[in-house]
Amino acid sequence: PQQWARIDFLAALQGVRLNCCAEMPSTEIIDNEAFKSVISGDTKTVRRLYGDPFELTFEAGQMFAGQKLPATRDMSEGFWRRVGPLEFLRKFTDEDRILGLSTMLLEERPGIMRMALEAAARLQTNKAYTIPESTKELKKQWKHENDQVAQWFEDCARTLVKDEADAVASKEFAPNPATTYVYNVAAQSVYDSYVAWARRNGHDKPLASRHFIPRMKTILIDERRLLAPGLPYDVDKLWKR
């Protein structure tokens, strides 16, 4: 998928029902829009090298194997609902090897096909895949590892809960000088804190401010970290403009 920004690579998916990658690199997926289009079965204009453009509707299922999950900056629900990581924890030694395994599997094709058809029928009945808890947890961990803003928030930022908000109103609140509070703070100050954190932690390409602020709002809304439950707030007034 790291090559799907190139339309000639996308053209290679014509007529493919299952696209398997035995060793996917962990480098960043650059063109997330192309990734989502391929996974969703959208139609795009592609062309082979030196060939004429044509319309291709993607039909292939996608299966990627790798030692490490790839990087991405896409924190949208559209990206994360399309992926389902599975972690294989068992390690095989020489003693575990089964010689002639491929021949054995060929002999068991009827049973394998039956299992596949039963799973397909279950998918049609449920209208959704059966997602194991291990996949949900791994996806959550994968997303967090790629979410610079969420990591900065946990390390450096803090939101005001009700008791602190009341203290601010009564002028008894003494903020920790080592903490960036994202309540009634200039947006540029919050962003500068994030950029400094990113550089300290080896992130060569911090998010631009136009991407940082929407992501920050999403974190505050989704994780309910702004104020105590029941205390009204307007996320657009988190900081001064």
Side-chain angles (χ1 to χ4, degrees), residues 49-62:
L49 200 60
Y50 309 117
D52 295 327
F54 63 94
E55 296 292 307
L56 175 60
T57 300
F58 303 106
E59 299 179 340
Q62 305 293 331

Side-chain angles (χ1 to χ4, degrees), residues 40-56:
S40 297
D42 295 343
T43 300
K44 287 180 68 71
T45 300
V46 301
R47 69 174 178 85
R48 299 186 185 278
L49 200 60
Y50 309 117
D52 295 327
F54 63 94
E55 296 292 307
L56 175 60

Side-chain angles (χ1 to χ4, degrees), residues 58-152:
F58 303 106
E59 299 179 340
Q62 305 293 331
M63 183 180 297
F64 312 116
Q67 298 296 319
K68 187 177 179 181
L69 292 167
T72 179
R73 294 191 177 202
D74 193 338
M75 294 295 118
S76 68
E77 178 64 21
F79 176 87
W80 291 100
R81 66 181 173 83
R82 286 172 167 85
V83 294
L86 291 171
E87 187 174 16
F88 296 89
L89 300 175
R90 182 175 175 182
K91 296 182 179 180
F92 293 90
T93 64
D94 290 341
E95 290 74 17
D96 297 320
R97 293 178 60 194
I98 302 176
L99 299 179
L101 178 61
S102 58
T103 301
M104 295 172 59
L105 292 176
L106 287 174
E107 294 173 352
E108 295 180 7
R109 277 185 298 181
I112 296 173
M113 180 60 69
R114 187 190 68 185
M115 293 174 62
L117 291 174
E118 289 174 350
R122 185 167 61 249
L123 173 61
Q124 288 188 328
T125 300
N126 297 336
K127 308 299 183 183
Y129 289 102
T130 303
I131 308 299
E133 289 300 319
S134 58
T135 288
K136 296 177 183 178
E137 186 61 32
L138 182 57
K139 185 191 293 191
K140 181 179 179 182
Q141 178 183 340
W142 179 19
K143 183 177 182 180
H144 184 267
E145 289 174 352
N146 283 275
D147 192 343
Q148 295 182 19
V149 180
Q151 293 177 43
W152 164 82

